[in-house]
């Protein structure tokens, strides 16, 4: 899984009546360890409309 796929568009609900911005059940944490970079968790912003960087 790629980092930008960790915050799918469906996770962004922005429902003021429920005081809910994201649905944490729809977030998909990643745990990546490479030669030059390591990251874990989810991206802090929703995925771009085009689907990736």
């Amino acid at each position: 899984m790629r980092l930008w796929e960790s915050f799918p568009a469906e996770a962004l609900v922005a429902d003021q009546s429920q005081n809910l911005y994201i649905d944490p059940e729809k977030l998909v944490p990643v745990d990546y360890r490479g030669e030059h970079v390591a990251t874990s968790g989810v991206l802090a912003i929703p995925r771009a409309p085009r689907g990736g960087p």
Side-chain angles (χ1 to χ4, degrees), residues 1-3 5-8 24-30 41-43:
M1 169 167 289
R2 296 175 176 150
L3 184 59
E5 294 171 338
S6 67
F7 194 140
E25 297 293 320
K26 295 181 180 173
L27 298 177
V28 184
V30 296
V42 296
L43 194 60

Side-chain angles (χ1 to χ4, degrees), residues 1-48:
M1 169 167 289
R2 296 175 176 150
L3 184 59
W4 58 86
E5 294 171 338
S6 67
F7 194 140
E10 305 83 50
L12 182 62
V13 292
D15 186 346
Q16 287 184 346
S17 67
Q18 293 184 10
N19 199 24
L20 186 65
Y21 182 67
I22 62 167
D23 182 351
E25 297 293 320
K26 295 181 180 173
L27 298 177
V28 184
V30 296
D31 188 16
Y32 175 79
R33 305 272 180 245
E35 184 178 348
H36 302 287
V37 68
T39 187
S40 63
V42 296
L43 194 60
I45 58 174
R47 191 162 102 183

